[in-house]
Amino acid sequence: MRARTKKLAELAILAALYAALTMALAPLSFGPVQARFSEALCILPFFIPETCWSLFAGCLIANIMTGNLFDVVFGAAATLAAGALTALIGRRCRNKKNFAANILACAMPVLINAVVIGAVITYAYNGMHPFTHPKVFALYGLQIAAGESIVMFGIGLPLLRWLPEKPFFQQWIAGWRKPE
C-alpha cells in the first residue's frame, strides 16, 4: 500500500507541475500561437505510461484558466491521447536508444495538438467550423504545431535522450517497475 501511495503522490506532483508551468508562463501557453513549455513533460509516458494521466489532469487544471469549455475538455483529451500514443511507442522501444522512436514519441504531441487545438481555436474562439473553413483551421493547426515543435524537439527530445542515462531517473523508473 505504501508504494501505491508514493506513486499516486508522484503523479499528483507531476500534474501540479504541468499546471504550474503552464500558468506561470501563461502569455506563452495560450492563444493561437503558443509554446507551452510544460508540454516537454509529455516525454514521460515514454518511460512511465501512467504519467499520461498526470499530464491530462495538469492540462485540465491549466485550461480551466481559459474559461472555454471546448479548450478544457478537448485540450486535456488531446494531451491524454498524445501521452497514450507516446506510452505505446515507449512500450515497444523503451529498451533501445532508438532515435527514430524518440522522434516519433516527440511528434505525437505535435500532431495531436495541431489537429485538436487547431480545431478548438477555429471553432470555439472564431465561431468557424474547421471543415467548412479549412484554410483557417490549417493556419491555426500549423501555428500550434510550430510552437509544439519548438518545445518537443527543442526541450523534450534532448530530455528524452539525456534522462535515461541519469541515475536518479533510472531509480525513479525502477520504482515504477517494482510490484506493489
Side-chain angles (χ1 to χ4, degrees):
M1 187 64 142
R2 193 174 202 201
R4 187 177 301 171
T5 303
K6 182 178 184 261
K7 289 176 181 179
L8 188 58
E10 288 174 353
L11 293 174
I13 289 167
L14 180 58
L17 178 61
Y18 182 102
L21 275 171
T22 302
M23 290 185 275
L25 300 169
L28 299 171
S29 300
F30 299 99
V33 179
Q34 58 183 255
R36 192 175 276 199
F37 290 97
S38 52
E39 284 284 301
L41 297 170
C42 287
I43 61 147
L44 293 176
F46 187 82
F47 304 103
I48 302 170
E50 296 85 351
T51 59
C52 67
W53 292 103
S54 294
L55 300 171
F56 166 76
C59 185
L60 189 71
I61 292 164
N63 283 355
I64 288 172
M65 279 184 57
T66 67
N68 186 299
L69 185 61
F70 286 100
D71 207 10
V72 172
V73 172
F74 292 107
T79 299
L80 181 61
L85 289 170
T86 302
L88 182 64
I89 294 164
R91 259 188 231 123
R92 304 221 183 236
C93 304
R94 183 181 13 222
N95 297 328
K96 304 172 195 158
K97 201 158 186 179
N98 183 333
F99 192 68
N102 295 163
I103 293 287
L104 190 58
C106 289
M108 289 301 103
V110 174
L111 297 172
I112 298 291
N113 281 303
V115 172
V116 175
I117 305 308
V120 166
I121 292 172
T122 303
Y123 182 77
Y125 292 99
N126 294 298
M128 300 177 198
H129 195 283
F131 298 118
T132 58
H133 293 84
K135 291 180 183 175
V136 175
F137 172 46
L139 175 64
Y140 286 127
L142 289 171
Q143 289 173 331
I144 294 298
E148 191 79 13
S149 292
I150 290 167
V151 172
M152 291 309 301
F153 295 107
I155 300 170
L157 183 59
L159 283 174
L160 190 63
R161 305 287 292 170
W162 177 77
L163 282 173
E165 299 170 356
K166 301 302 166 203
F168 76 90
F169 194 72
Q170 293 169 355
Q171 185 178 8
W172 186 46
I173 292 172
W176 277 88
R177 301 291 167 243
K178 291 179 187 174
E180 294 179 21

